């Protein structure tokens, strides 16, 4: 096969001029036609030639396109470049979603089916190869390169960078400087994507002013450090993009609180209402710690408790039935030995649906999501109500096995059939790093950084402050 590829390439290269002279011939041969311009070779079927071109790889395939119209027609076939995108880039589903929904930036302008068929994936492949990559910082604690498969490091939380009473600008500057230092990169070298938890949930003037103040402090800190371009976007929207959606409801179980965020075409619908439950990962982990202490299970640190939560705990499909089952399981924590949990395994996650078990006066997760869906239904923001019937989970605690299935079950019992018909709850597509992967989807776009980022010049002119946040 290697000899055949070499001979085909040499034959094509030697006959480039003769092919060019016959370029007025038809450039779209039918799939059953054979290529007979290989000199001494017998005619080769198109599908065999396509297999050879696949093996040549994208660079040599692109070179073939300049030989003559016949070869340009052959190697510009979208199917060939879809194959290359699948094998040399992220998953095809993510690439196709990004390039047909996010190319133009915010506000989202999805391509119609007739335009999608006209996209040149050969050109898209070339443009994606030229994207420089960027620094991604997610949620004040995960960071890495957009070209990497996953975050390359994790930092302390933002609150630990400077005194909480110090000016926001100073804390942000310290935080970003620390991340750049750990990544060993100059701020001026790469664009940066920063994702943030949803904060200042309301649509009031004071909430808008608070969001604007935080955004300006963040841009100021980064541009004063000479960042070439900055994209700031909320974690909920990024989680939705990671699930290959532009509309839906994102349930983000954060550190302190859980937010239920309705998003339509990439925009947070604060006018509809962002529901907030005063319970997050810290409370869930703390409740497991309390149960272990009550049962005289000794441990040395909260890290041990969190490790047990992540590896042994789950959400029961039927809490009452689970109480009568043998649910005992063990795990070895390095440096601390073996731990055995029983009913603590499912009682821990149950407080998301029954907060009173942990002494918390708050809505259950299903009630908050149901209320949000009811508001979306009443608002009639789109031609149909399918947009809010996809619920995407996000955050480390949302990775608890059984959570998505239990939430979907509770919603079907809580809501009328007219609202919950077609409802689907999606587990975190990339686990605890879902929002980071949403940022990766944006930062590897063929059009990045242009439509998604703000430059220093634009920031000074205040001309690009309508981005999704």
């Amino acid at each position: 096969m290697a000899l055949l590829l070499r001979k085909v390439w040499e034959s094509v290269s030697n006959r480039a001029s003769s092919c060019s002279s016959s370029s007025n011939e038809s450039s779209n041969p039918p799939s059953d036609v054979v290529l007979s311009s290989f000199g001494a070779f017998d005619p080769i079927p198109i599908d065999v030639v396509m297999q050879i071109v696949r093996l040549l790889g994208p660079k040599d395939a692109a070179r073939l396109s300049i030989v003559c119209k016949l070869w340009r027609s052959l190697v510009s076939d979208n199917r060939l470049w879809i194959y290359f995108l699948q094998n040399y880039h992220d998953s095809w589903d993510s690439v196709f979603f990004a390039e047909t929904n996010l190319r133009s930036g915010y506000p989202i302008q999805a391509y119609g089916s007739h335009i999608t068929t006209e996209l040149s994936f050969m050109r898209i492949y070339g443009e994606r190869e030229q994207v420089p990559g960027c620094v991604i910082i997610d949620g004040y604690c995960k960071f890495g390169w957009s070209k990497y498969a996953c975050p390359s490091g994790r930092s302390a939380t933002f609150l630990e960078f400077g005194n909480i009473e110090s000016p926001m600008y100073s804390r942000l500057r310290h935080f970003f400087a620390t991340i750049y230092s750990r990544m060993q990169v100059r701020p001026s070298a790469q664009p940066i994507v920063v994702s943030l938890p949803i904060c200042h949930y309301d649509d009031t003037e004071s909430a808008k002013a608070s969001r604007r103040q935080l955004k300006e402090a963040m841009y100021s800190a980064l541009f004063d450090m000479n960042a070439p371009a900055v994209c700031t976007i909320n974690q909920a929207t990024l989680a939705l993009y990671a699930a290959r959606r532009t509309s839906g409801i994102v349930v983000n179980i954060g550190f302190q609180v859980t937010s239920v965020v309705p998003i339509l075409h990439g925009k947070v619908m604060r006018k509809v209402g962002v529901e907030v439950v005063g319970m997050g990962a810290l409370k869930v982990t703390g409740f497991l710690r309390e149960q272990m202490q009550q049962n005289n299970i000794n441990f040395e640190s909260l890290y041990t408790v969190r490790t047990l939560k992540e590896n042994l705990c789950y959400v029961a499909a039927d809490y009452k039935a689970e109480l009568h089952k043998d649910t005992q399981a063990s795990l070895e924590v390095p440096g601390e030995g073996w731990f055995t949990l029983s009913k603590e395994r499912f009682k821990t996650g149950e407080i998301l649906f029954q907060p009173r078990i942990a002494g918390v006066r708050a809505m259950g997760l299903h009630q908050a999501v149901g209320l949000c869906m009811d508001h979306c239904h009443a608002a009639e923001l789109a031609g149909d109500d399918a947009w809010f019937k996809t619920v995407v989970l996000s955050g480390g605690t949302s990775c608890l096995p059984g959570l998505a299935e239990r939430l979907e079950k509770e919603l079907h019992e809580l809501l009328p059939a007219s609202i919950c018909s077609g409802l689907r709850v999606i587990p975190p597509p990339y686990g605890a790093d879902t929002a980071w992967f949403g940022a990766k989807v944006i930062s590897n776009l063929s059009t990045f950084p242009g439509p998604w980022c703000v430059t220093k010049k634009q920031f000074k002119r205040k001309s690009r402050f309508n981005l999704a946040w």
Side-chain angles (χ1 to χ4, degrees):
M1 179 60 74
L3 180 61
L4 174 60
L5 292 176
R6 183 169 59 82
K7 286 185 176 180
V8 169
W9 178 250
E10 290 173 353
S11 175
V12 171
S13 300
N14 293 335
R15 296 182 60 83
S17 58
S18 62
C19 286
S20 297
S21 64
S22 61
S23 60
N24 291 328
E25 298 176 4
S26 173
S27 62
N28 294 300
S31 59
D32 58 344
V33 173
V34 296
L35 289 183
S36 57
S37 59
F38 292 140
F41 287 98
D42 290 331
I44 304 177
I46 289 289
D47 57 347
V48 174
V49 175
M50 289 297 286
Q51 290 297 325
I52 295 173
V53 174
R54 283 186 176 189
L55 292 173
L56 283 174
K59 290 184 178 180
D60 284 336
R63 290 171 185 164
L64 283 173
S65 68
I66 67 174
V67 173
C68 64
K69 283 187 177 180
L70 183 64
W71 277 102
R72 184 160 59 250
S73 171
L74 180 70
V75 302
S76 63
D77 190 315
N78 271 342
R79 291 169 296 178
L80 173 66
W81 293 94
I82 287 172
Y83 169 82
F84 287 144
L85 284 164
Q86 287 175 322
N87 287 273
Y88 292 83
H89 284 266
D90 302 326
S91 70
W92 168 242
D93 288 346
S94 293
V95 171
F96 185 78
F97 163 76
E99 297 295 343
T100 55
N101 289 275
L102 308 178
R103 287 172 57 82
S104 59
Y106 182 83
I108 302 300
Q109 297 177 358
Y111 286 88
S113 58
H114 66 287
I115 298 179
T116 300
T117 57
E118 297 174 4
L119 288 175
S120 168
F121 287 104
M122 178 179 177
R123 179 173 58 82
I124 286 173
Y125 183 97
E127 290 173 346
R128 289 177 75 93
E129 283 290 298
Q130 298 300 315
V131 171
C134 72
V135 174
I136 298 176
I137 301 178
D138 171 37
Y140 302 130
C141 59
K142 303 181 187 80
F143 58 87
W145 293 102
S146 61
K147 297 291 186 179
Y148 286 3
C150 61
S152 55
R154 301 174 192 274
S155 72
T157 64
F158 171 64
L159 294 177
E160 295 179 32
F161 287 92
N163 190 294
I164 195 170
E165 296 178 356
S166 62
M168 178 61 69
Y169 173 90
S170 299
R171 297 168 64 203
L172 286 167
R173 180 85 182 238
H174 183 194
F175 171 71
F176 290 129
T178 302
I179 299 300
Y180 279 124
S181 175
R182 291 180 182 178
M183 292 187 66
Q184 298 182 341
V185 61
R186 298 190 315 276
S188 60
Q190 303 285 344
I192 182 169
V193 177
V194 183
S195 74
L196 296 171
I198 287 284
C199 57
H200 310 297
Y201 308 95
D202 300 329
D203 196 46
T204 61
E205 289 303 317
S206 61
K208 290 178 181 178
S210 296
R211 289 195 295 270
R212 188 161 51 248
Q213 183 181 21
L214 176 57
K215 183 182 292 188
E216 290 186 1
M218 184 169 296
Y219 282 137
S220 295
L222 286 167
F223 286 133
D224 287 348
M225 298 171 71
N226 295 318
V230 179
C231 172
T232 57
I233 191 165
N234 68 75
Q235 289 178 328
T237 301
L238 291 177
L240 199 61
Y241 293 163
R244 299 187 287 279
R245 303 286 193 283
T246 58
S247 300
I249 293 176
V250 176
V251 178
N252 184 40
I253 303 179
F255 186 66
Q256 294 278 9
V257 299
T258 296
S259 56
V260 181
V261 188
I263 299 173
L264 179 60
H265 302 316
K267 180 177 176 59
V268 176
M269 295 287 101
R270 287 188 172 85
K271 290 183 178 179
V272 173
V274 176
E275 301 298 331
V276 182
V277 180
M279 180 168 52
L282 183 62
K283 186 62 182 179
V284 175
T285 304
F287 183 61
L288 175 58
R289 177 183 60 188
E290 293 173 9
Q291 293 179 89
M292 292 172 64
Q293 290 172 337
Q294 291 172 3
N295 294 327
N296 297 317
I297 301 175
N298 299 316
F299 54 90
E300 292 186 6
S301 67
L302 196 61
Y303 170 79
T304 301
V305 181
R306 192 177 72 180
T307 301
L308 294 172
K309 180 191 76 172
E310 293 173 352
N311 290 276
L312 290 183
C313 291
Y314 64 96
V315 176
D318 186 329
Y319 178 67
K320 291 183 179 179
E322 206 74 9
L323 288 169
H324 303 289
K325 296 180 181 179
D326 180 10
T327 57
Q328 191 173 93
S330 299
L331 178 75
E332 183 180 14
V333 178
E336 288 210 49
W338 285 90
F339 291 85
T340 300
L341 301 181
S342 182
K343 291 181 171 51
E344 303 92 346
R345 297 181 62 205
F346 62 89
K347 280 187 175 181
T348 298
E350 187 63 24
I351 68 171
L352 294 170
F353 297 92
Q354 301 187 63
R356 58 180 178 78
I357 294 177
V360 177
R361 297 184 62 181
M363 287 187 293
L365 185 61
H366 59 300
Q367 294 168 324
V369 177
L371 184 60
C372 183
M373 294 184 70
D374 188 53
H375 288 163
C376 292
H377 178 72
E380 298 182 346
L381 296 176
D384 59 62
D385 58 6
W387 71 270
F388 63 80
K389 293 185 177 181
T390 297
V391 179
V392 178
L393 301 182
S394 177
T397 299
S398 66
C399 298
L400 288 174
L403 178 58
E405 294 80 2
R406 171 68 179 280
L407 178 57
E408 189 169 315
K409 173 189 172 186
E410 294 286 349
L411 288 172
H412 276 283
E413 294 177 358
L414 181 67
L415 297 169
S418 59
I419 295 181
C420 65
S421 175
L423 170 67
R424 183 185 177 196
V425 179
I426 301 176
Y430 296 93
D433 297 331
T434 291
W436 192 91
F437 275 89
K440 178 179 165 73
V441 167
I442 291 175
S443 55
N444 285 332
L445 273 168
S446 59
T447 54
F448 189 85
W452 283 98
C453 289
V454 175
T455 64
K456 188 173 185 177
K457 185 176 181 180
Q458 290 167 335
F459 171 66
K460 287 183 175 180
R461 293 180 177 178
K462 310 292 183 184
S463 60
R464 291 286 300 278
F465 262 45
N466 291 322
L467 292 178
W469 200 13

